[in-house]
Amino acid sequence: MDKHRCGWCIGDTLYEAYHDEEWGVPVKDDETLFEFLILETFQAGLSWITILRKRENFRQAFDHFDYKKIAKYDQAKIDALLQDPGIVRNKLKVNATVTNAIAFMEVQKEFGSFSKYIWGFVDHKPIKNELKNYKNAPATTDLSDTISKDLKKRGFKFVGSTVIYAHMQATGMVNDHEVNCFRYHEV
């Protein structure tokens, strides 16, 4: 018997696996939160499936999203990344990754962890929406606007409200699974 999934992922096995195993699952560890944040920043202006298909390449190119290493990237490393055909070679986004790694660690110093900081915006528990159709999910909310503004104030780049709302969905801060999706009650 087939499980009912959110309509956005149907028809691509990689997308379906991502939907079934990761999307909307509450993420509290800083390493995974950073990975999703960086992937979402690279996704800006592109489709998520494009980024998902390059995810392993991104992991290899960016030292498995080790923000401590990324914060120390020099121009030679940045230049090498800009020549890597396995990732999205956008100079502003590559440079923003280094900037965001530094800002990420500053947030950790201030709050004890990035998780405490970001999850504090939702009182440390997921917002559970009741979408009948994924097409009715918002691209932004007042909350994603607020988080985006705060991140920008802290020096983060490529963290507009749309990117932040997608990050909130991916990391389970908000449950936007369709109500008839098998994952809706699981996450």
Side-chain angles (χ1 to χ4, degrees), residues 8 15 18 22-25 27 32-33 35-48 51 118 129 137-141 143-145 147-148 151 158-176:
W8 60 264
Y15 236 3
Y18 170 70
E22 291 184 86
W23 193 73
V25 176
V27 173
T32 307
L33 286 168
E35 176 178 350
F36 273 112
L37 184 65
I38 297 310
L39 291 174
E40 293 293 352
T41 63
F42 272 95
Q43 186 263 331
L46 303 170
S47 67
W48 180 242
I51 301 303
I118 200 80
N129 290 327
T140 65
T141 62
L143 182 56
S144 66
D145 292 348
I147 296 170
S148 171
L151 287 167
F158 281 93
V159 290
S161 190
T162 303
V163 166
I164 294 308
Y165 194 73
H167 186 261
M168 292 170 69
Q169 290 173 310
T171 61
M173 290 176 66
V174 60
N175 181 349
D176 273 349

Side-chain angles (χ1 to χ4, degrees), residues 73 102 120 128:
Y73 282 1
I102 295 165
K128 195 161 190 158

Side-chain angles (χ1 to χ4, degrees), residues 10 50 114 153 179:
I10 295 174
T50 299
F114 186 81
K153 185 177 76 180
V179 291

